[in-house]
Each structure stands twice: as C-alpha cells, then as structure tokens.
C-alpha cells in the first residue's frame, strides 16, 4: 500500500500469543516475550516506513501484574532494555513516543526512561507511537469520571456541560484520534480492557498468527483488509448513484 491517504490514521494492536509461541517450541514463556520484542521493533519500523500517523501497542495491562512474579520481572527487564536501547532510533526516525497507563506502579527507573523518551521525542512530527503500559481502560475511564466529579463538586465544572468530547479530553489518549483499526494476534477475539471508550467505531482485524511471528507483510495485509471495510459510524451507506 503505497498511498498514505488510503492508510488508517490510527492503528492499535493487542500483541497476544508470546506464551503459546514459546510453548510450541518447548521454550520458556520468557523466550516468547523476547521474540515479541523483535516483532515490536519490526512493526514499529514498518509503520515508520509506510508513514502511518499513529500506532498504539498494548504492551502491559493493569491485569498483567497478576502474572507470576518471575514473568512480570522478566517483562519489566524487557521494557528496560527496549526503552534504554531503542529511544535513540525513535529520536532519529522522527517518532514521537508516549505511554498511556498508570504511572504510579512501575519501577522508578523504568518510568524515568519512559519520561526521558517522551521528552526526547516530544518535538518529533512523524509516527505517534504510544505504548499502553500498565494500562486498563476501565481504570482510565474511572479516573476521568473521578476528575470531572471532583471539579463538579468544587464548582469548577457544570455537570450539564459534559459531552462525549469533553469526557474524551480527560482520557489518557487526549489529542490522539480514535483507533480506526484494532488488530489482535493469536486468534483471540476480545478487547481485554483496551481502549474501551476509543474503540466505539473501530474496525477489527483478528489474525491467527502468534505475536512473535506477526510480520510487516501481515501488518500490511491487515491494513489492506481495513481499506475494504465500509465505515458508516452508525449512519446509512450512501445511496448508489442511479
Ligand atoms: C501477550 O502474550 C503479550 C503480553 C503480555 C505483552 C506484550 C509484550 C511484548 C510484546 C514484549 C515487550 C514489549 C515491548 C514494547 C518492549 P501472552 O504472554 O499473553 O501470550 P499467551 O496468551 O500465548 O500466553
């Protein structure tokens, strides 16, 4: 797909299947996550090459803390490696990197690396790369509701003035367009607490491929499938011209 105008503006990906990828190879789950990081690099590079505007990757959910401590600490080690080693490339390739999610639970050195990456890429104008990290949509929505309720109680906000747009402006994705396309790998078909508000009109592409095997070619195929969809946003299709 060469033409930028036929691309979705915002693609979000639920990267699933690292554990099954490892199991199939009789490897520890950790090996699946390592391979998953390589897939992240490949897909980010493909998104830059095709001049995609926004890519959001579900890297760690607020529920992922419930995994065994050894797996959580291995994943955190991979985030350390990624955010310490890959930011230079993101800076050089004009990528603006951000995270959405809870910033109070992860280790302070990881948060410092993330904030350094956000600062160093804040002036970049190419791909908007967002990592959902310690992210949960219900938590995000509850936090926005809480903030608005507090403002209403203190008299700074008239509850009657609340609209979908003013609510969306309190979410961590403020400023980003809603995802046009959400891809989930590994054959599972659910949102798993990802972008629940923002996905109201998203198209979905589910692929059987396990995340570590998800290639730039399959990424392009998913974008091609999106271009075949007719998006009506609740309205009717235009009448065919007689
Ligand atoms: C799902 O696989 C994936 C995750 C829990 C997180 C995604 C993490 C990565 C791709 C690696 C790190 C990413 C970055 C940005 C450095 P799973 O373990 O749920 O797989 P399973 O369902 O087969 O067990």
């Amino acid at each position: 797909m060469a033409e930028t105008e036929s691309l979705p503006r915002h693609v979000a990906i639920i990267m699933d299947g690292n554990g099954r990828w490892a199991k199939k190879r009789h490897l520890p789950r950790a090996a699946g996550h390592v391979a998953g990081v390589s897939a992240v690099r490949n897909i980010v590079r493909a998104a830059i090459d095709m001049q995609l505007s926004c890519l959001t990757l579900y890297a760690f959910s607020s529920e992922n803390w419930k995994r065994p401590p050894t797996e959580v600490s291995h994943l955190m080690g991979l985030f350390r490696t990624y955010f310490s080693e890959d930011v230079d490339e993101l800076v050089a390739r004009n990528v603006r990197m951000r995270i959405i999610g809870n910033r109070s639970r992860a280790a302070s050195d990881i948060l410092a690396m993330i904030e350094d990456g956000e600062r160093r890429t804040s002036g970049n104008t190419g791909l908007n790369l967002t990592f959902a990290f310690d992210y949960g949509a219900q938590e995000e929505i509850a936090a926005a509701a809480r903030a608005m309720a507090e403002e209403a109680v203190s008299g700074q906000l008239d509850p009657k003035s609340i609209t979908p747009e003013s609510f969306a402006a309190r979410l961590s994705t403020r400023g980003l367009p809603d995802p046009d396309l959400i891809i989930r790998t590994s054959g599972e078909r659910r949102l798993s607490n990802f972008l629940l508000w923002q996905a109201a009109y998203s198209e979905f592409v589910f692929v059987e491929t396990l995340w570590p095997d998800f290639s730039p070619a399959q990424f392009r195929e998913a974008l091609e499938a999106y271009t075949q969809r007719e998006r009506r946003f609740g309205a009717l299709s235009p009448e065919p011209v007689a």
Side-chain angles (χ1 to χ4, degrees):
M1 195 180 325
E3 289 165 47
T4 347
E5 58 265 32
S6 59
L7 287 173
R9 268 211 301 170
H10 184 178
V11 181
I13 308 182
I14 302 173
M15 310 182 287
D16 195 11
N18 294 349
R20 278 162 284 166
W21 183 94
K23 193 169 179 204
K24 264 173 61 181
R25 287 164 179 75
H26 308 287
L27 294 170
R29 289 178 60 80
H33 295 313
V34 171
V37 179
S38 300
V40 167
R41 292 197 172 103
N42 292 338
I43 297 306
V44 168
R45 287 176 186 146
I48 298 168
D49 292 340
M50 64 175 77
Q51 296 179 277
L52 190 70
S53 175
C54 306
L55 177 68
T56 298
L57 300 175
Y58 203 4
F60 192 84
S61 77
S62 45
E63 288 74 33
N64 285 155
W65 294 111
K66 294 182 204 149
R67 293 192 176 199
T70 46
E71 181 166 348
V72 171
S73 77
H74 180 257
L75 275 167
M76 292 301 150
L78 293 178
F79 294 125
R80 273 189 186 89
T81 311
Y82 182 84
F83 291 119
S84 62
E85 290 181 0
D86 286 52
V87 170
D88 282 349
E89 180 177 340
L90 301 181
V91 172
R93 297 210 64 190
N94 197 24
V95 174
R96 178 157 183 201
M97 182 208 109
R98 274 175 283 208
I99 64 156
I100 53 171
N102 187 318
R103 292 184 185 228
S104 68
R105 292 183 289 227
S108 55
D109 67 312
I110 300 181
L111 290 169
M113 284 175 199
I114 287 171
E115 281 164 15
D116 180 59
E118 290 181 323
R119 203 167 31 246
R120 288 178 61 208
T121 63
S122 62
N124 286 352
T125 54
L127 176 70
N128 284 288
L129 175 62
T130 305
F131 291 100
F133 176 74
D134 196 2
Y135 174 86
Q138 291 180 339
E139 231 177 51
E140 176 190 39
I141 292 168
R146 199 180 310 120
M148 289 185 120
E150 279 165 0
E151 283 180 35
V153 167
S154 69
Q156 292 161 275
L157 176 73
D158 176 1
K160 291 193 197 65
S161 72
I162 298 173
T163 61
E165 292 74 24
S166 71
F167 189 79
R170 307 301 176 102
L171 297 172
S172 59
T173 47
R174 74 190 74 83
L176 284 175
D178 286 342
D180 302 294
L181 169 64
I182 297 181
I183 300 170
R184 182 168 188 148
T185 59
S186 90
E188 306 290 347
R189 293 171 176 236
R190 52 178 179 270
L191 261 178
S192 300
N193 205 11
F194 187 46
L195 302 178
L196 298 183
W197 172 281
Q198 300 86 342
Y201 285 102
S202 301
E203 294 291 330
F204 290 85
V205 169
F206 298 104
V207 296
E208 295 298 318
T209 311
L210 303 174
W211 174 252
D213 289 330
F214 190 65
S215 64
Q218 284 172 311
F219 185 42
R220 280 188 291 272
E221 271 172 38
L223 303 193
E224 292 277 359
Y226 165 84
T227 61
Q228 307 304 313
R229 305 273 173 94
E230 186 197 359
R231 301 184 76 200
R232 297 198 300 270
F233 299 96
L236 297 177
S237 311
E239 291 290 325
V241 182

